[in-house]
Short mmCIF file of all heavy atoms in Angstrom, two decimals:
data_model
loop_
_atom_site.label_atom_id
_atom_site.label_comp_id
_atom_site.label_asym_id
_atom_site.label_seq_id
_atom_site.Cartn_x
_atom_site.Cartn_y
_atom_site.Cartn_z
N ALA K 1 69.70 135.20 107.42
CA ALA K 1 69.80 134.76 108.85
C ALA K 1 70.97 135.42 109.52
O ALA K 1 70.88 135.80 110.72
CB ALA K 1 70.00 133.23 108.85
N ALA K 2 72.13 135.62 108.84
CA ALA K 2 73.27 136.26 109.42
C ALA K 2 72.96 137.69 109.79
O ALA K 2 73.38 138.22 110.84
CB ALA K 2 74.45 136.17 108.46
N ALA K 3 72.15 138.37 108.93
CA ALA K 3 71.79 139.78 109.27
C ALA K 3 70.83 139.87 110.42
O ALA K 3 70.74 140.93 111.03
CB ALA K 3 71.14 140.37 107.96
N ALA K 4 70.17 138.74 110.79
CA ALA K 4 69.26 138.74 111.90
C ALA K 4 69.96 138.35 113.26
O ALA K 4 69.29 138.25 114.26
CB ALA K 4 68.13 137.73 111.63
N VAL K 5 71.26 138.24 113.23
CA VAL K 5 72.03 138.12 114.45
C VAL K 5 72.37 139.53 114.93
O VAL K 5 73.11 140.25 114.23
CB VAL K 5 73.33 137.23 114.28
CG1 VAL K 5 74.13 137.28 115.52
CG2 VAL K 5 72.98 135.83 113.89
N HIS K 6 71.84 139.89 116.03
CA HIS K 6 71.96 141.32 116.49
C HIS K 6 72.91 141.41 117.71
O HIS K 6 72.83 140.58 118.63
CB HIS K 6 70.61 141.90 116.92
CG HIS K 6 69.55 141.80 115.82
ND1 HIS K 6 69.56 142.68 114.78
CD2 HIS K 6 68.50 140.96 115.63
CE1 HIS K 6 68.51 142.39 113.93
NE2 HIS K 6 67.89 141.35 114.44
N SER K 7 73.77 142.41 117.68
CA SER K 7 74.70 142.66 118.75
C SER K 7 74.10 143.75 119.65
O SER K 7 73.67 144.81 119.12
CB SER K 7 76.04 143.17 118.19
OG SER K 7 76.65 142.13 117.44
N LEU K 8 74.03 143.45 120.94
CA LEU K 8 73.42 144.32 121.92
C LEU K 8 74.52 144.85 122.88
O LEU K 8 75.65 144.26 122.93
CB LEU K 8 72.35 143.58 122.68
CG LEU K 8 71.22 142.97 121.87
CD1 LEU K 8 70.21 142.33 122.77
CD2 LEU K 8 70.56 144.03 120.95
N PRO K 9 74.25 145.91 123.61
CA PRO K 9 75.24 146.41 124.56
C PRO K 9 75.71 145.33 125.54
O PRO K 9 74.96 144.42 125.95
CB PRO K 9 74.45 147.54 125.29
CG PRO K 9 73.45 147.95 124.33
CD PRO K 9 73.03 146.71 123.60
N GLY K 10 76.99 145.48 125.91
CA GLY K 10 77.52 144.54 126.88
C GLY K 10 78.13 143.27 126.31
O GLY K 10 78.45 142.33 127.09
N GLY K 11 78.18 143.17 124.99
CA GLY K 11 78.68 141.98 124.38
C GLY K 11 77.69 140.86 124.21
O GLY K 11 78.04 139.65 124.06
N ILE K 12 76.40 141.18 124.31
CA ILE K 12 75.29 140.22 124.11
C ILE K 12 74.95 140.07 122.63
O ILE K 12 74.93 141.09 121.91
CB ILE K 12 74.09 140.60 124.95
CG1 ILE K 12 74.40 140.61 126.40
CG2 ILE K 12 72.90 139.68 124.65
CD1 ILE K 12 73.30 141.15 127.30
N SER K 13 74.65 138.88 122.18
CA SER K 13 74.17 138.65 120.84
C SER K 13 72.80 137.91 120.94
O SER K 13 72.64 137.08 121.87
CB SER K 13 75.09 137.75 120.04
OG SER K 13 76.37 138.37 119.91
N VAL K 14 71.88 138.20 120.06
CA VAL K 14 70.59 137.58 120.03
C VAL K 14 70.20 137.23 118.61
O VAL K 14 70.62 137.85 117.64
CB VAL K 14 69.44 138.45 120.67
CG1 VAL K 14 69.71 138.66 122.15
CG2 VAL K 14 69.34 139.77 119.93
N PHE K 15 69.36 136.21 118.55
CA PHE K 15 68.76 135.75 117.27
C PHE K 15 67.37 135.19 117.57
O PHE K 15 67.17 134.51 118.61
CB PHE K 15 69.55 134.71 116.61
CG PHE K 15 68.94 134.08 115.36
CD1 PHE K 15 69.12 134.65 114.12
CD2 PHE K 15 68.13 132.97 115.51
CE1 PHE K 15 68.48 134.08 113.04
CE2 PHE K 15 67.48 132.41 114.42
CZ PHE K 15 67.68 132.99 113.13
N ALA K 16 66.39 135.46 116.78
CA ALA K 16 65.10 134.87 116.87
C ALA K 16 64.56 134.60 115.46
O ALA K 16 64.43 135.56 114.66
CB ALA K 16 64.13 135.75 117.64
N GLY K 17 64.27 133.38 115.14
CA GLY K 17 63.79 133.05 113.84
C GLY K 17 63.80 131.53 113.60
O GLY K 17 64.18 130.74 114.44
N GLN K 18 63.52 131.12 112.39
CA GLN K 18 63.41 129.75 111.96
C GLN K 18 64.80 129.13 111.81
O GLN K 18 65.74 129.77 111.26
CB GLN K 18 62.65 129.62 110.64
CG GLN K 18 62.27 128.20 110.30
CD GLN K 18 61.47 128.12 109.02
OE1 GLN K 18 61.93 128.62 107.96
NE2 GLN K 18 60.31 127.49 109.04
N ARG K 19 64.93 127.86 112.29
CA ARG K 19 66.16 127.12 112.18
C ARG K 19 65.86 125.69 111.87
O ARG K 19 64.72 125.22 111.99
CB ARG K 19 67.03 127.18 113.43
CG ARG K 19 67.47 128.57 113.86
CD ARG K 19 68.10 129.39 112.73
NE ARG K 19 69.35 128.93 112.26
CZ ARG K 19 69.92 129.37 111.10
NH1 ARG K 19 69.19 130.14 110.27
NH2 ARG K 19 71.08 128.95 110.73
N ASN K 20 66.91 124.93 111.47
CA ASN K 20 66.83 123.48 111.34
C ASN K 20 66.66 122.88 112.76
O ASN K 20 67.39 123.28 113.67
CB ASN K 20 68.12 123.01 110.71
CG ASN K 20 68.07 121.60 110.15
OD1 ASN K 20 67.44 120.77 110.73
ND2 ASN K 20 68.78 121.38 109.03
N ASP K 21 65.71 121.93 112.89
CA ASP K 21 65.54 121.36 114.20
C ASP K 21 66.72 120.46 114.53
O ASP K 21 67.06 119.54 113.77
CB ASP K 21 64.26 120.54 114.21
CG ASP K 21 63.83 120.15 115.61
OD1 ASP K 21 64.72 120.10 116.49
OD2 ASP K 21 62.67 119.87 115.84
N GLY K 22 67.40 120.71 115.67
CA GLY K 22 68.58 119.91 116.02
C GLY K 22 68.27 118.61 116.75
O GLY K 22 69.17 117.77 116.88
N PHE K 23 67.08 118.42 117.18
CA PHE K 23 66.70 117.22 117.98
C PHE K 23 66.52 116.04 117.02
O PHE K 23 65.93 116.22 115.96
CB PHE K 23 65.46 117.49 118.80
CG PHE K 23 65.03 116.35 119.70
CD1 PHE K 23 65.90 115.83 120.64
CD2 PHE K 23 63.78 115.80 119.59
CE1 PHE K 23 65.57 114.82 121.45
CE2 PHE K 23 63.38 114.77 120.45
CZ PHE K 23 64.28 114.27 121.35
N PHE K 24 66.88 114.85 117.45
CA PHE K 24 66.70 113.66 116.60
C PHE K 24 66.23 112.49 117.47
O PHE K 24 66.75 112.21 118.52
CB PHE K 24 67.96 113.31 115.83
CG PHE K 24 69.24 113.24 116.65
CD1 PHE K 24 69.72 112.00 117.11
CD2 PHE K 24 69.92 114.40 117.01
CE1 PHE K 24 70.88 111.91 117.88
CE2 PHE K 24 71.09 114.33 117.79
CZ PHE K 24 71.60 113.08 118.19
N VAL K 25 65.16 111.86 116.93
CA VAL K 25 64.56 110.71 117.62
C VAL K 25 63.66 110.01 116.65
O VAL K 25 63.10 110.63 115.73
CB VAL K 25 63.78 111.12 118.87
CG1 VAL K 25 62.62 112.02 118.47
CG2 VAL K 25 63.33 109.95 119.69
N ASP K 26 63.50 108.70 116.77
CA ASP K 26 62.57 107.91 115.96
C ASP K 26 61.21 108.07 116.57
O ASP K 26 60.71 107.20 117.26
CB ASP K 26 63.03 106.46 115.92
CG ASP K 26 62.25 105.65 114.93
OD1 ASP K 26 61.18 106.10 114.43
OD2 ASP K 26 62.68 104.48 114.64
N LEU K 27 60.56 109.20 116.28
CA LEU K 27 59.25 109.50 116.90
C LEU K 27 58.22 108.45 116.59
O LEU K 27 57.48 107.98 117.50
CB LEU K 27 58.73 110.85 116.34
CG LEU K 27 59.13 112.09 117.01
CD1 LEU K 27 58.46 113.34 116.40
CD2 LEU K 27 58.86 112.09 118.53
N GLY K 28 58.13 107.98 115.34
CA GLY K 28 57.11 107.03 114.95
C GLY K 28 57.21 105.73 115.69
O GLY K 28 56.18 105.09 116.03
N ALA K 29 58.45 105.30 116.03
CA ALA K 29 58.61 104.08 116.77
C ALA K 29 58.48 104.26 118.25
O ALA K 29 57.80 103.46 118.93
CB ALA K 29 60.02 103.44 116.44
N ILE K 30 59.08 105.31 118.80
CA ILE K 30 59.12 105.45 120.28
C ILE K 30 57.72 105.64 120.85
O ILE K 30 57.45 105.22 121.95
CB ILE K 30 60.05 106.62 120.64
CG1 ILE K 30 60.66 106.41 122.05
CG2 ILE K 30 59.33 107.96 120.54
CD1 ILE K 30 61.70 105.34 122.12
N PHE K 31 56.81 106.25 120.04
CA PHE K 31 55.45 106.37 120.53
C PHE K 31 54.59 105.19 120.22
O PHE K 31 53.42 105.17 120.54
CB PHE K 31 54.85 107.69 119.99
CG PHE K 31 55.44 108.95 120.66
CD1 PHE K 31 55.72 110.01 119.92
CD2 PHE K 31 55.64 108.96 122.02
CE1 PHE K 31 56.28 111.16 120.45
CE2 PHE K 31 56.20 110.12 122.56
CZ PHE K 31 56.51 111.21 121.83
N ASP K 32 55.18 104.21 119.54
CA ASP K 32 54.44 102.98 119.29
C ASP K 32 54.82 101.99 120.35
O ASP K 32 55.57 101.03 120.12
CB ASP K 32 54.80 102.46 117.85
CG ASP K 32 53.92 101.18 117.51
OD1 ASP K 32 52.96 100.88 118.20
OD2 ASP K 32 54.38 100.52 116.54
N LEU K 33 54.38 102.24 121.57
CA LEU K 33 54.67 101.41 122.73
C LEU K 33 56.16 101.24 122.96
O LEU K 33 56.67 100.15 123.23
CB LEU K 33 53.99 100.02 122.61
CG LEU K 33 52.46 100.03 122.63
CD1 LEU K 33 51.88 98.61 122.42
CD2 LEU K 33 51.92 100.61 123.95
N GLY K 34 56.87 102.35 122.92
CA GLY K 34 58.27 102.34 123.25
C GLY K 34 59.15 101.49 122.39
O GLY K 34 60.10 100.88 122.83
N ASP K 35 58.84 101.48 121.09
CA ASP K 35 59.54 100.60 120.14
C ASP K 35 60.92 101.17 119.83
O ASP K 35 61.09 102.31 119.38
CB ASP K 35 58.74 100.52 118.83
CG ASP K 35 59.19 99.36 117.95
OD1 ASP K 35 60.32 98.97 118.08
OD2 ASP K 35 58.40 98.95 117.13
N ILE K 36 61.93 100.40 120.17
CA ILE K 36 63.32 100.71 119.72
C ILE K 36 63.63 99.63 118.72
O ILE K 36 63.88 98.47 119.02
CB ILE K 36 64.29 100.68 120.90
CG1 ILE K 36 63.87 101.69 122.01
CG2 ILE K 36 65.74 100.95 120.47
CD1 ILE K 36 64.60 101.52 123.29
N ARG K 37 63.68 99.97 117.45
CA ARG K 37 63.62 98.99 116.36
C ARG K 37 64.83 98.00 116.42
O ARG K 37 64.64 96.80 116.42
CB ARG K 37 63.66 99.68 114.98
CG ARG K 37 62.47 100.61 114.81
CD ARG K 37 62.50 101.30 113.42
NE ARG K 37 61.78 102.50 113.38
CZ ARG K 37 60.66 102.73 112.64
NH1 ARG K 37 60.21 101.70 111.89
NH2 ARG K 37 60.02 103.84 112.66
N GLU K 38 66.01 98.57 116.64
CA GLU K 38 67.21 97.65 116.68
C GLU K 38 67.16 96.74 117.93
O GLU K 38 67.55 95.61 117.83
CB GLU K 38 68.48 98.50 116.67
CG GLU K 38 68.82 99.14 115.28
CD GLU K 38 68.08 100.44 115.05
OE1 GLU K 38 67.14 100.81 115.89
OE2 GLU K 38 68.37 101.09 114.11
N LEU K 39 66.70 97.27 119.02
CA LEU K 39 66.62 96.46 120.22
C LEU K 39 65.57 95.37 120.09
O LEU K 39 65.78 94.23 120.55
CB LEU K 39 66.31 97.36 121.45
CG LEU K 39 66.53 96.67 122.84
CD1 LEU K 39 67.97 96.23 122.99
CD2 LEU K 39 66.15 97.69 123.90
N ASN K 40 64.46 95.69 119.41
CA ASN K 40 63.47 94.68 119.15
C ASN K 40 64.02 93.54 118.26
O ASN K 40 63.79 92.35 118.55
CB ASN K 40 62.27 95.31 118.42
CG ASN K 40 61.15 95.62 119.40
OD1 ASN K 40 61.01 95.02 120.46
ND2 ASN K 40 60.33 96.59 119.06
N MET K 41 64.78 93.87 117.24
CA MET K 41 65.34 92.89 116.37
C MET K 41 66.32 91.99 117.14
O MET K 41 66.38 90.80 116.96
CB MET K 41 66.05 93.53 115.20
CG MET K 41 65.10 94.17 114.19
SD MET K 41 63.93 92.99 113.50
CE MET K 41 65.02 91.94 112.55
N ALA K 42 67.03 92.62 118.04
CA ALA K 42 68.03 91.85 118.85
C ALA K 42 67.34 90.82 119.75
O ALA K 42 67.91 89.82 120.17
CB ALA K 42 68.87 92.81 119.70
N HIS K 43 66.06 91.08 120.05
CA HIS K 43 65.33 90.15 120.89
C HIS K 43 64.24 89.40 120.09
O HIS K 43 63.23 88.97 120.61
CB HIS K 43 64.69 90.89 122.11
CG HIS K 43 65.75 91.29 123.08
ND1 HIS K 43 66.53 92.42 122.91
CD2 HIS K 43 66.15 90.70 124.22
CE1 HIS K 43 67.34 92.51 123.90
NE2 HIS K 43 67.17 91.48 124.75
N LEU K 44 64.49 89.30 118.79
CA LEU K 44 63.72 88.44 117.87
C LEU K 44 62.25 88.81 117.84
O LEU K 44 61.39 87.94 117.69
CB LEU K 44 63.88 86.99 118.30
CG LEU K 44 65.36 86.47 118.37
CD1 LEU K 44 65.36 85.01 118.83
CD2 LEU K 44 66.00 86.59 117.03
N ILE K 45 61.97 90.14 117.92
CA ILE K 45 60.60 90.60 117.77
C ILE K 45 60.45 91.17 116.34
O ILE K 45 61.16 92.15 116.04
CB ILE K 45 60.25 91.66 118.81
CG1 ILE K 45 60.41 91.05 120.22
CG2 ILE K 45 58.81 92.16 118.63
CD1 ILE K 45 60.29 92.06 121.36
N PRO K 46 59.62 90.58 115.51
CA PRO K 46 59.65 91.02 114.09
C PRO K 46 59.12 92.42 113.93
O PRO K 46 58.19 92.82 114.58
CB PRO K 46 58.75 89.97 113.43
CG PRO K 46 57.89 89.48 114.51
CD PRO K 46 58.71 89.48 115.75
N LEU K 47 59.76 93.15 113.03
CA LEU K 47 59.36 94.50 112.73
C LEU K 47 59.39 94.70 111.23
O LEU K 47 60.13 94.06 110.45
CB LEU K 47 60.37 95.49 113.34
CG LEU K 47 60.36 95.70 114.84
CD1 LEU K 47 61.54 96.51 115.28
CD2 LEU K 47 59.08 96.39 115.27
N ALA K 48 58.52 95.62 110.77
CA ALA K 48 58.50 95.96 109.31
C ALA K 48 59.80 96.64 108.96
O ALA K 48 60.34 96.43 107.87
CB ALA K 48 57.32 96.82 109.02
#
């Protein structure tokens, strides 16, 4: 991966390739009718 960081004229650097996904979200819950598990528990809605 380090070898795939390329230096271009003018002080530009580029990289294109696979990386660890930086985004984080509870996909399984949020698409289940906007389920926020901890908020549901706070309002006494039972969850698995």
Side-chain angles (χ1 to χ4, degrees):
V5 174
H6 303 284
S7 297
L8 304 181
I12 296 174
S13 298
V14 293
F15 172 90
Q18 191 179 55
R19 299 312 289 163
N20 196 323
D21 193 340
F23 183 57
F24 50 99
V25 64
D26 189 346
L27 274 182
I30 208 72
F31 288 137
D32 184 15
L33 293 179
D35 194 338
I36 302 170
R37 300 180 203 247
E38 287 83 351
L39 194 59
N40 264 334
M41 290 300 294
H43 288 81
L44 304 179
I45 302 173
L47 289 170

